[in-house]
Structures are given as structure tokens and as C-alpha cells.
Amino acid sequence: MYDEEFLGIRVPLPRATVPGELRELAYPRFTVLLDTRRRLARVTGVNVDGATLLDLPREGEWRLDERVPAAAQTGPELYARNDLDRGHLVRRRDPGWGTPAEARTAMAATFFYPNAAPQASAFNQSKDLWLGLEDHVLEYADATDQRISAFTAPVLADDDPVYRAVGIPRRFWKIVAWADASPGGRLRAAGFVLDQSELLDVSEGALTVAPLGGFRTFQAPIAHVERLAGIDAGPLVDADVLPRTTVRGEAAWRPLRTVDDIVLR
């Protein structure tokens, strides 16, 4: 399960601040807070030890978690015969560290459906950027022991378009946290938002994915991510590396085109 002491600084798993039917599911080195009404994760948290990450072959088949009723999680029927991908929230490689046996067990656990969220298959370069955010922070944190904690989930909005009785998230959020190289290690964190709104259309009752356009990726104040996602991010708000701003709303978000646009200090 997610370890809140992993960074040497206590970082609790963010908690939902909106009403919901929530179930906490522990897996090796990560935790999923599942909203059983929406059938998708409200929060995920994973510990990543970059110093002992293993590059193992991709193994695993998506499967339901038997601890939760099938009706409380999205299953294969949502992704059949359409342009939706099963998007890992906790990335397959993130918990894959330590001994080979430990890494294989943890990586296989990322294929439980509570750790999946529907993402349009028509990704452009923004997908590579989104998936590379944690790697970029690991490289930046190389001056310490290469440990990070990452939190990711869809934004479960009330007006998400409904497809096959599931609200399809238009946005995803991510917060990455690490301890810097200062004496004692100071908590630092960065928040991000990915928007797939321009790709999804269910206006005719069926899902269509635009062939052009793409995801837009932003670095956003963690205080904004908190409100957008309906979570309490605890100490991560004060640890934000983005300078504080009085700018309201999305005008304060920083568009990202490459990792060079990311602010980490």
C-alpha cells in the first residue's frame, strides 16, 4: 500500500472532499481510493524508488478486483469496440522496484480495473509528455535518493459525458512530490492537469474520438488541482514549486509542450 513516510517526510494520501461512496484498496506499493458510484478512482498514490527501479518485460492482463462488486468498477465492457484505452493511473513501472519478485508482483497489480481510467486513444505528443512527468521529476531528484510519491486520478466532474452508463472524465490530475537536497530534505511538489475535452464527443449517444487535436497538458498550482479534483492535498499545497499567484482560474496554468517547460525549482 502507499507509504506516507516514504520520502522521510509525512505525506498523507490525498483525501476526497466531495460526497461519494469511497472504497480504499491497497496494492503493493500503491493505494487506490475508488469512487464506487462513479466506478473510477478518485485518488491513487504510489511510492517510486528510482534508485532500484527494474526494467522488466510487460506482463499482466486487466482484471476485476474481487474485493469490490463488479458493478462498482469499470470493466472490459466499457472499452470494447471503441477508441477508448485502459489508461493506467498508477503506471505499470512505478511500483516495479526492489527485488525482481517484488517488482513483478507490484507491476502485475497495476492491471486491476480500479487502477484504470478511460482515455481517448488519439493521443499526440502530449501523451508522451504526461507519461514522462514522473521520470522527469526522478531525474531532477537525482541529487537525493531518487524517491518520489505520485498521486494521479481523473477529475470526476458532475457534467462528464456519459457513455455506456459511465461518466467519461475529460480531465486528469497529477501531483508529484519529493524531498529536495537541502539539509533534512524539504518537501517539494508539482501539480499537473491533462485535458482531453477536445477529443471526446458523445452527443449522438455513441462515443467518437476526434482524429485530430490532442491532449493539452498544464502545470497548475496544487491549490487549483485540489479544488478541481475535489481533494485535500494536505502539505502538498505549501510544498508547491510554482510561485504563488493572485491570478484566478486557468489563467494561472502553465501550458506544457516539452519537459523543458516544467518548473521544478
Side-chain angles (χ1 to χ4, degrees):
M1 63 184 298
Y2 169 78
D3 179 2
E4 63 181 26
E5 303 288 347
F6 184 73
L7 301 180
I9 305 168
R10 183 173 177 270
V11 183
L13 185 74
R15 294 293 172 178
T17 58
V18 296
E21 300 169 7
L22 304 177
R23 176 74 181 272
E24 184 170 315
L25 300 171
Y27 301 95
R29 297 175 177 149
F30 69 97
T31 295
V32 174
L33 188 60
L34 178 69
D35 187 319
T36 58
R37 181 183 63 83
R38 286 293 304 266
R39 303 170 63 191
L40 295 169
R42 178 73 64 175
V43 175
T44 68
V46 62
N47 305 122
V48 186
D49 185 356
T52 62
L53 271 176
L54 298 179
D55 188 12
L56 300 178
R58 180 184 177 93
E59 296 178 354
E61 297 291 335
W62 285 103
R63 58 201 186 278
L64 296 173
D65 190 323
E66 295 181 354
R67 295 174 294 178
V68 182
Q73 51 191 310
T74 58
E77 67 283 350
L78 176 63
Y79 302 94
R81 302 177 303 280
N82 56 37
D83 289 324
L84 287 178
D85 286 342
R86 298 168 179 84
H88 276 84
L89 296 172
V90 171
R91 302 183 307 170
R92 178 186 66 89
R93 187 167 175 250
D94 280 354
W97 49 270
T99 69
E102 291 171 337
R104 288 191 188 96
T105 298
M107 293 167 80
T110 66
F111 285 91
F112 280 107
Y113 272 107
N115 186 46
Q119 296 178 342
S121 61
F123 278 28
N124 63 2
Q125 62 184 358
S126 296
K127 178 183 181 181
D128 297 327
L129 175 60
W130 181 253
L131 294 180
L133 288 173
E134 291 162 45
D135 292 333
H136 184 65
V137 174
L138 275 172
E139 293 171 5
Y140 175 76
D142 189 39
T144 60
D145 58 3
Q146 287 189 287
R147 284 189 166 197
I148 67 170
S149 292
F151 313 95
T152 311
V155 175
L156 303 182
D158 292 338
D159 59 351
D160 282 335
V162 176
Y163 172 69
R164 294 182 179 175
V166 176
I168 306 299
R170 292 171 297 181
R171 287 173 164 173
F172 293 80
W173 63 269
K174 183 186 295 286
I175 301 173
V176 184
W178 68 98
D180 69 15
S182 63
R186 181 177 53 170
L187 181 64
R188 308 295 278 162
F192 306 92
V193 175
L194 180 145
D195 192 327
Q196 66 175 356
S197 301
E198 294 182 1
L199 293 180
L200 299 174
D201 183 8
V202 296
S203 59
E204 302 301 323
L207 174 78
T208 59
V209 176
L212 300 176
F215 284 64
R216 295 178 299 157
T217 306
F218 304 87
Q219 184 168 358
I222 294 173
H224 291 202
V225 174
E226 246 191 349
R227 293 192 292 270
L228 180 71
I231 61 169
D232 178 357
L236 298 169
V237 175
D238 289 335
D240 197 348
V241 294
L242 270 187
R244 294 188 180 274
T245 177
T246 58
V247 178
R248 295 180 177 273
E250 296 180 19
W253 297 8
R254 179 182 177 89
L256 302 179
R257 298 171 184 84
T258 72
V259 293
D260 293 334
D261 296 327
I262 299 172
V263 175
L264 291 180
R265 63 181 64 161

